[in-house]
Amino acid sequence: MMQPDWLDLSSYLSNNQVKAFFSYNSFPSRGLEARKNFLNQTGFIRKSLLVPIQVHSKNVILKNEAGKVNGVDGVFTFNPDIVCSIQVADCMPIYFCHQIEKKFGIIHVGWRGLVDGIIFQSNRLLNNNGLNLDDFELIIGPSIQHCCFEVKNDIIQKFDKQFINKIDENRFKVNLQSIAISQLNDLNFNTEKIKVISECTFCNPEKYYSYRRDGKNTGRMIGIIGIQ
C-alpha cells in the first residue's frame, strides 16, 4: 500500500471533529490549485479555503469567509465550512485547535514573525473574541531545527541568549521551537497541550522542501486544518 504524500497530525488533537495535515515534498504544491487538490485528497470535500498572502509579519486575522487575505501570516476561523491554510519551507507551521468547539487556525512563524510577536498577536486575537489560549491545543509542525538554523552577527541580538549556541565569532545556532514554547509559557499557556514535531526540514531532503538548503526556487509544504 502506497504511503500518502502528507503527514496526518489529527491524532494529536483531542477534538476529533478537527483534522490537520502537512504535505511532503512529494505533493505538488504550486499555486492555489495545489491547495484545493490537497483539500480534496485529505477528505475536505466541498470545503472552502482561507489563504493568507504571507509576508513574514506578526499579523493574524479571524475570518469566517473563504478567500485570500493580503498581508497576514496567520488565519483563524469559527466557520466549520472553512479550511485554514498556510505554506512553509523551513518556517514553523503552528496549528491551533479548540479542545471542544469548532474553532481553529494556523500561523506561519518564521524567525521575523517570532521575534516580532506573532504568537502574542494570536493570543490577543483569541482574547478579543472571548477565548483563552488555554482552551486550545497546539501543534508545531516540521520546520528547521536547532541543528540547522544558523544566523550571523547581524541579527543575533534579536534572540534571547538562552536559545543561542555559539559556533564561532560570527556564526550562531538558534532554537526557534524553544523560543515559541517560551513565549507560550509567558502567556501562561499549558505547554503540555503542545505537540512539537521534531523533524528538521533542512535535514530531510527526501521529505521536505527547505528554503535555506535549496534557495528561493524551492517548493513549499502546505499546512491545513479544518472540519472534514
Side-chain angles (χ1 to χ4, degrees), residues 2-202:
M2 291 184 62
Q3 294 296 314
D5 293 327
W6 55 83
L7 178 63
D8 187 347
L9 302 169
S10 310
S11 63
Y12 299 119
L13 303 174
S14 58
N15 186 340
N16 58 19
Q17 298 179 94
V18 180
K19 305 299 178 185
F21 300 94
F22 187 75
S23 67
Y24 294 136
N25 60 14
S26 55
F27 190 89
S29 62
R30 298 287 185 181
L32 184 59
E33 286 306 311
R35 294 199 203 193
K36 291 179 178 178
N37 188 27
F38 194 33
L39 253 66
N40 291 332
Q41 291 202 34
T42 51
F44 292 109
I45 308 300
R46 294 184 296 277
K47 299 291 183 177
S48 298
L49 270 170
L50 184 53
V51 179
I53 306 303
Q54 301 164 201
V55 291
H56 288 277
S57 70
K58 64 179 181 179
N59 302 328
V60 296
I61 193 170
L62 172 69
K63 193 169 174 61
N64 290 319
E65 301 83 33
K68 295 181 181 180
V69 187
N70 288 319
V72 302
D73 282 82
V75 285
F76 292 79
T77 190
F78 299 165
N79 183 347
D81 292 326
I82 299 295
V83 175
C84 295
S85 72
I86 59 166
Q87 61 179 18
V88 292
D90 280 336
C91 296
M92 290 181 286
I94 304 184
Y95 299 74
F96 292 69
C97 178
H98 195 284
Q99 292 177 275
I100 299 171
E101 300 177 18
K102 297 175 181 179
K103 297 174 180 179
F104 46 87
I106 187 168
I107 63 177
H108 157 255
V109 187
W111 72 261
R112 293 177 183 85
L114 186 65
V115 300
D116 286 344
I118 191 170
I119 288 176
F120 295 98
Q121 286 296 109
S122 298
N123 179 64
R124 180 178 297 174
L125 180 147
L126 296 174
N127 289 166
N128 289 345
N129 285 277
L131 296 168
N132 293 317
L133 185 59
D134 203 46
D135 295 329
F136 288 76
E137 293 172 321
L138 274 61
I139 303 169
I140 301 177
S143 48
I144 193 166
Q145 306 284 319
H146 176 252
C147 54
C148 297
F149 184 69
E150 182 178 313
V151 299
K152 295 184 178 180
N153 271 325
D154 56 342
I155 64 167
I156 194 61
Q157 71 279 359
K158 295 181 179 293
F159 305 99
D160 191 300
K161 291 181 180 178
Q162 66 179 309
F163 305 112
I164 298 169
N165 280 346
K166 186 175 181 179
I167 303 171
D168 58 34
E169 290 305 315
N170 192 43
R171 295 186 302 144
F172 307 83
K173 289 187 176 180
V174 181
N175 193 323
L176 299 177
Q177 292 75 21
S178 291
I179 295 174
I181 292 170
S182 176
Q183 290 184 2
L184 289 162
N185 276 327
D186 290 343
L187 294 166
N188 297 316
F189 181 70
N190 180 358
T191 52
E192 291 184 1
K193 296 181 181 179
I194 305 174
K195 172 63 181 178
V196 180
I197 308 300
S198 59
E199 288 187 318
C200 177
T201 47
F202 191 103

